[in-house]
Amino acid sequence: MKMLTETDLKNIEEFQRIIDTHNNIVFFGGAGVSTESGIPDFRSVDGLYHQQYDYPPETILSHTFYVRKPEEFFRFYRNKMLFTDAKPNAAHLKLAELEKAGKLKAIVTQNIDGLHQAAGSKKVLELHGSVLRNYCEKCGKFYDLEFVKDGTGIPVCEDCGGRVKPDVVLYEEGLSQNTIQESVRAISQAEVLIIGGTSLAVYPAAGLIDYFSGDKLVVINMAPTPRDKFADLLIQAPIGQVFNAIKVNS
């Protein structure tokens, strides 16, 4: 665990002040929020994108590959995308507290792990879907994560025999327009936008922050992002440690 520096601690004091003096906060997060829960960041040095497979992860997680090679898709998906033992970390838990206190109005996440909801957050806008939801492509019947995880081969509907697809946005697929619209509304109305645990490299999701025109932009990320120079407050420290140091005052 990284030791927080004197600069980190001063920045966290400022972060606390921003939270204490604003009541319309939106959080925009990515994979880095869940790495402290044991879920690998796709683009980190030891993340999924740096491991070796017969096909690159971007290829396997594409709509074309899903359609053409579904057995290989699901073999990879079960092995590398489902982390059923992962638990919410301090960042997830503190964000849920901030929402309960009436300060946090929405979480806009690129993650598909459902950890924000597991921590107790209610207003979670999942740009890329969720591994917790799966639907029959033929009749629409819902299936939970365990149905896909515990099965073998291509999961099929018990009612009609149709293929059961995870409710995650694959490469080549569009984002939900309703989710985008809600995210734009939340971000555009926010007084404070906290960007956390994301390199802001994935579009169109990263482009949503362009709609922010509020009072304070806070960026919390270990690595540099394209928005660092626009931030009113930049904290380059582990996001779980940063949120763990924050006190929630309603």
Side-chain angles (χ1 to χ4, degrees), residues 173-186:
E173 294 180 344
L175 305 188
S176 159
Q177 286 304 305
N178 285 341
T179 305
I180 289 176
Q181 287 169 9
E182 283 194 66
S183 300
V184 167
R185 186 180 302 114

PDB file of all heavy atoms in Angstrom, residues 173-186:
ATOM      1  N   GLU A 173     -20.341  -2.231 -30.193  1.00  0.00           N
ATOM      2  CA  GLU A 173     -21.720  -1.995 -29.790  1.00  0.00           C
ATOM      3  C   GLU A 173     -21.879  -0.586 -29.239  1.00  0.00           C
ATOM      4  O   GLU A 173     -20.945  -0.020 -28.667  1.00  0.00           O
ATOM      5  CB  GLU A 173     -22.151  -3.009 -28.720  1.00  0.00           C
ATOM      6  CG  GLU A 173     -22.200  -4.437 -29.232  1.00  0.00           C
ATOM      7  CD  GLU A 173     -22.624  -5.437 -28.168  1.00  0.00           C
ATOM      8  OE1 GLU A 173     -22.586  -5.097 -26.966  1.00  0.00           O
ATOM      9  OE2 GLU A 173     -22.990  -6.556 -28.541  1.00  0.00           O
ATOM     10  N   GLY A 174     -23.050  -0.008 -29.405  1.00  0.00           N
ATOM     11  CA  GLY A 174     -23.310   1.345 -28.922  1.00  0.00           C
ATOM     12  C   GLY A 174     -23.725   1.355 -27.460  1.00  0.00           C
ATOM     13  O   GLY A 174     -24.228   0.367 -26.930  1.00  0.00           O
ATOM     14  N   LEU A 175     -23.496   2.487 -26.810  1.00  0.00           N
ATOM     15  CA  LEU A 175     -23.934   2.646 -25.430  1.00  0.00           C
ATOM     16  C   LEU A 175     -25.439   2.908 -25.394  1.00  0.00           C
ATOM     17  O   LEU A 175     -26.027   3.370 -26.364  1.00  0.00           O
ATOM     18  CB  LEU A 175     -23.202   3.820 -24.766  1.00  0.00           C
ATOM     19  CG  LEU A 175     -21.671   3.815 -24.776  1.00  0.00           C
ATOM     20  CD1 LEU A 175     -21.146   4.948 -23.913  1.00  0.00           C
ATOM     21  CD2 LEU A 175     -21.109   2.487 -24.323  1.00  0.00           C
ATOM     22  N   SER A 176     -26.051   2.612 -24.259  1.00  0.00           N
ATOM     23  CA  SER A 176     -27.476   2.889 -24.069  1.00  0.00           C
ATOM     24  C   SER A 176     -27.720   4.398 -24.137  1.00  0.00           C
ATOM     25  O   SER A 176     -27.105   5.162 -23.385  1.00  0.00           O
ATOM     26  CB  SER A 176     -27.935   2.350 -22.717  1.00  0.00           C
ATOM     27  OG  SER A 176     -29.122   2.992 -22.289  1.00  0.00           O
ATOM     28  N   GLN A 177     -28.613   4.812 -25.001  1.00  0.00           N
ATOM     29  CA  GLN A 177     -28.914   6.244 -25.134  1.00  0.00           C
ATOM     30  C   GLN A 177     -29.546   6.805 -23.867  1.00  0.00           C
ATOM     31  O   GLN A 177     -29.283   7.942 -23.481  1.00  0.00           O
ATOM     32  CB  GLN A 177     -29.828   6.484 -26.342  1.00  0.00           C
ATOM     33  CG  GLN A 177     -29.129   6.351 -27.680  1.00  0.00           C
ATOM     34  CD  GLN A 177     -27.914   7.264 -27.800  1.00  0.00           C
ATOM     35  OE1 GLN A 177     -28.005   8.473 -27.610  1.00  0.00           O
ATOM     36  NE2 GLN A 177     -26.759   6.678 -28.091  1.00  0.00           N
ATOM     37  N   ASN A 178     -30.364   5.990 -23.200  1.00  0.00           N
ATOM     38  CA  ASN A 178     -30.973   6.455 -21.949  1.00  0.00           C
ATOM     39  C   ASN A 178     -29.912   6.709 -20.883  1.00  0.00           C
ATOM     40  O   ASN A 178     -29.967   7.707 -20.159  1.00  0.00           O
ATOM     41  CB  ASN A 178     -31.986   5.418 -21.435  1.00  0.00           C
ATOM     42  CG  ASN A 178     -33.273   5.437 -22.225  1.00  0.00           C
ATOM     43  OD1 ASN A 178     -33.569   6.408 -22.916  1.00  0.00           O
ATOM     44  ND2 ASN A 178     -34.042   4.359 -22.139  1.00  0.00           N
ATOM     45  N   THR A 179     -28.931   5.795 -20.796  1.00  0.00           N
ATOM     46  CA  THR A 179     -27.862   5.953 -19.811  1.00  0.00           C
ATOM     47  C   THR A 179     -27.012   7.170 -20.133  1.00  0.00           C
ATOM     48  O   THR A 179     -26.624   7.930 -19.232  1.00  0.00           O
ATOM     49  CB  THR A 179     -26.972   4.688 -19.760  1.00  0.00           C
ATOM     50  OG1 THR A 179     -27.799   3.551 -19.501  1.00  0.00           O
ATOM     51  CG2 THR A 179     -25.926   4.804 -18.668  1.00  0.00           C
ATOM     52  N   ILE A 180     -26.727   7.380 -21.409  1.00  0.00           N
ATOM     53  CA  ILE A 180     -25.958   8.559 -21.821  1.00  0.00           C
ATOM     54  C   ILE A 180     -26.701   9.839 -21.454  1.00  0.00           C
ATOM     55  O   ILE A 180     -26.123  10.769 -20.887  1.00  0.00           O
ATOM     56  CB  ILE A 180     -25.661   8.525 -23.336  1.00  0.00           C
ATOM     57  CG1 ILE A 180     -24.628   7.443 -23.653  1.00  0.00           C
ATOM     58  CG2 ILE A 180     -25.148   9.886 -23.819  1.00  0.00           C
ATOM     59  CD1 ILE A 180     -24.360   7.273 -25.137  1.00  0.00           C
ATOM     60  N   GLN A 181     -27.993   9.879 -21.759  1.00  0.00           N
ATOM     61  CA  GLN A 181     -28.787  11.084 -21.477  1.00  0.00           C
ATOM     62  C   GLN A 181     -28.840  11.388 -19.984  1.00  0.00           C
ATOM     63  O   GLN A 181     -28.705  12.542 -19.565  1.00  0.00           O
ATOM     64  CB  GLN A 181     -30.196  10.914 -22.045  1.00  0.00           C
ATOM     65  CG  GLN A 181     -30.255  11.015 -23.568  1.00  0.00           C
ATOM     66  CD  GLN A 181     -31.595  10.598 -24.135  1.00  0.00           C
ATOM     67  OE1 GLN A 181     -32.558  10.387 -23.404  1.00  0.00           O
ATOM     68  NE2 GLN A 181     -31.663  10.454 -25.450  1.00  0.00           N
ATOM     69  N   GLU A 182     -29.030  10.352 -19.167  1.00  0.00           N
ATOM     70  CA  GLU A 182     -29.055  10.554 -17.713  1.00  0.00           C
ATOM     71  C   GLU A 182     -27.698  11.020 -17.203  1.00  0.00           C
ATOM     72  O   GLU A 182     -27.610  11.862 -16.303  1.00  0.00           O
ATOM     73  CB  GLU A 182     -29.459   9.249 -17.013  1.00  0.00           C
ATOM     74  CG  GLU A 182     -30.939   8.940 -17.068  1.00  0.00           C
ATOM     75  CD  GLU A 182     -31.302   7.841 -16.087  1.00  0.00           C
ATOM     76  OE1 GLU A 182     -31.191   8.069 -14.867  1.00  0.00           O
ATOM     77  OE2 GLU A 182     -31.685   6.752 -16.543  1.00  0.00           O
ATOM     78  N   SER A 183     -26.632  10.460 -17.781  1.00  0.00           N
ATOM     79  CA  SER A 183     -25.275  10.840 -17.373  1.00  0.00           C
ATOM     80  C   SER A 183     -24.990  12.292 -17.735  1.00  0.00           C
ATOM     81  O   SER A 183     -24.428  13.044 -16.929  1.00  0.00           O
ATOM     82  CB  SER A 183     -24.241   9.923 -18.033  1.00  0.00           C
ATOM     83  OG  SER A 183     -24.448   8.575 -17.662  1.00  0.00           O
ATOM     84  N   VAL A 184     -25.367  12.688 -18.935  1.00  0.00           N
ATOM     85  CA  VAL A 184     -25.176  14.066 -19.378  1.00  0.00           C
ATOM     86  C   VAL A 184     -25.949  15.020 -18.469  1.00  0.00           C
ATOM     87  O   VAL A 184     -25.424  16.065 -18.054  1.00  0.00           O
ATOM     88  CB  VAL A 184     -25.614  14.246 -20.848  1.00  0.00           C
ATOM     89  CG1 VAL A 184     -25.711  15.729 -21.208  1.00  0.00           C
ATOM     90  CG2 VAL A 184     -24.652  13.538 -21.784  1.00  0.00           C
ATOM     91  N   ARG A 185     -27.175  14.643 -18.133  1.00  0.00           N
ATOM     92  CA  ARG A 185     -27.991  15.498 -17.266  1.00  0.00           C
ATOM     93  C   ARG A 185     -27.322  15.668 -15.893  1.00  0.00           C
ATOM     94  O   ARG A 185     -27.199  16.778 -15.374  1.00  0.00           O
ATOM     95  CB  ARG A 185     -29.387  14.896 -17.104  1.00  0.00           C
ATOM     96  CG  ARG A 185     -30.366  15.793 -16.343  1.00  0.00           C
ATOM     97  CD  ARG A 185     -31.744  15.164 -16.199  1.00  0.00           C
ATOM     98  NE  ARG A 185     -32.327  14.847 -17.493  1.00  0.00           N
ATOM     99  CZ  ARG A 185     -32.569  13.611 -17.932  1.00  0.00           C
ATOM    100  NH1 ARG A 185     -32.291  12.568 -17.170  1.00  0.00           N
ATOM    101  NH2 ARG A 185     -33.101  13.406 -19.115  1.00  0.00           N
ATOM    102  N   ALA A 186     -26.872  14.563 -15.318  1.00  0.00           N
ATOM    103  CA  ALA A 186     -26.247  14.622 -13.995  1.00  0.00           C
ATOM    104  C   ALA A 186     -24.960  15.438 -14.013  1.00  0.00           C
ATOM    105  O   ALA A 186     -24.733  16.294 -13.150  1.00  0.00           O
ATOM    106  CB  ALA A 186     -25.967  13.201 -13.492  1.00  0.00           C
TER     107      ALA A 186
END
